Amino acid sequence: MPEMSMKEREQALHDTGAYYRHTCWMAVPLLCMSAYLYGLRPVVLCMGAFLIGNFCDRLVAFLRRRVYQPSDYSSESFALIIALLLPATVSWYVMAVAVVAGVLIGKEAFGGYGSYPFHPAAVGYVVAAVSWPEQMFRYPLPYTEIPLWDASSVAVTSGISDTLRNGGLPNLDPFSLLLGEFASPMGTGCCLIILACGLFLWRQKDIRLSAAFSFVAACALVAFFFPRQADLVNTPFWENVLPRLNVVKYELLSGAMLFTAVFLLNEPYTCPHRRIGRIAYGALVGLVSMSFRYFGVYTTGACFAILAVNSIAGWLDRAEARLYALDDQFHWIPWLHRGEKGGDAA
């Protein structure tokens, strides 16, 4: 995509800049919970990611001879999202490479603000996941003392996703599960805070619920009808509904699924702008995410799924526009007339 002109950039910042500012602020409660569970290292990591994202923004502005926009918090937002997706024991260089890749490759290589077809935070995470899987998918247990600089000596373990992949089922206290007191990326465990952040972003009209709901519904349906536990697969679902719902609970609360629904799915320039397109987009990301979790190498497949479905997000908008044009001409889909056809509907 071509780089925006200065006038187009200022208009884009006016239209969508609040989303990135609010996302940065919503990282704060998640970071506070992470600091409670893992100490000061998550705070220092996120501060480093924030500064690296800001530096990359200033560097690109200097190299491209354009005025730096202090009101543009998109790079800092992507940097914080990447950092919160990482284990608290991740090496500093892995975090730095992930943020630089997200901002410079995912965002600036395609023209900068609003011109990227793929979610920059997902790009940064995937680069780190493919390059250092031994660090990205092993997590410390909560309340472990983690040194600020070198965490290589800290004991790490696999997450809930690995247990589910092996056909097992975790046995966690519901309260601990809600608070994120289990091995996971440092900002994705506490579902109560994630849901509160999502409610705030929705009230601020920064995110729409259609994509998030269809994403969660698609993941839940796959987990319910196709569980990975052998004793559930070989029996009809109506004979073990409660155990299947228990599996759905663990599938949705692990692998950064809720975090993806709130912080990744509704990015203004990679998510479709029309309602039906957003519903289809969320459902596709959910199906692809579960496919990566079931059949892929990496247990956290949501970012890979985001990048895969980003490639057709624009097509979904265009397909819906053509659908409305045909309906205006032939009136062949009556239910289309009962809702808004624009991109502002929920």
Side-chain angles (χ1 to χ4, degrees), residues 135-261:
Q135 290 199 44
M136 294 291 289
F137 302 109
R138 305 283 290 178
Y139 315 104
L141 291 173
Y143 309 112
T144 301
E145 185 176 348
I146 304 176
L148 283 181
W149 306 113
D150 184 9
S152 58
S153 61
V154 177
V156 292
T157 184
S158 57
I160 292 177
S161 298
D162 277 337
T163 304
L164 294 169
R165 163 177 283 186
N166 295 328
L169 196 62
N171 185 21
L172 291 174
D173 177 76
F175 193 69
S176 297
L177 193 61
L178 291 175
L179 292 181
E181 293 179 327
F182 54 90
S184 65
M186 59 186 179
T188 68
C190 185
C191 67
L192 289 180
I193 295 179
I194 293 173
L195 292 174
C197 293
L199 179 62
F200 173 83
L201 293 173
W202 173 65
R203 293 292 296 170
Q204 295 295 318
K205 301 189 186 307
D206 292 322
I207 66 175
R208 306 293 176 183
L209 298 181
S210 47
F213 279 163
S214 62
F215 168 77
V216 172
C219 295
L221 288 173
V222 171
F224 183 83
F225 287 105
F226 306 100
R228 293 185 271 187
Q229 289 66 33
D231 57 329
L232 299 180
V233 171
N234 298 324
T235 56
F237 72 89
W238 57 83
E239 294 182 4
N240 44 39
V241 172
L242 291 180
R244 285 172 181 262
L245 290 176
N246 195 38
V247 171
V248 171
K249 174 186 70 177
Y250 284 113
E251 291 281 7
L252 293 182
L253 296 182
S254 65
M257 303 301 273
L258 289 183
F259 186 89
T260 297

Side-chain angles (χ1 to χ4, degrees), residues 83-99:
L84 291 172
L85 283 165
L86 303 178
T89 51
V90 73
S91 297
W92 280 88
Y93 66 87
V94 175
M95 179 274 292
V97 170
V99 173

Side-chain angles (χ1 to χ4, degrees), residues 15-16 18-19 23 197-216 258-283 317 340 342-346:
D15 294 339
T16 57
Y19 168 84
T23 300
C197 293
L199 179 62
F200 173 83
L201 293 173
W202 173 65
R203 293 292 296 170
Q204 295 295 318
K205 301 189 186 307
D206 292 322
I207 66 175
R208 306 293 176 183
L209 298 181
S210 47
F213 279 163
S214 62
F215 168 77
V216 172
L258 289 183
F259 186 89
T260 297
V262 173
F263 288 97
L264 288 167
L265 208 62
N266 284 278
E267 206 284 331
Y269 295 103
T270 58
C271 181
H273 299 105
R274 296 174 177 269
R275 180 173 51 190
I276 297 177
R278 286 196 298 268
I279 294 172
Y281 175 78
D317 264 338
E340 288 188 48
D344 294 331

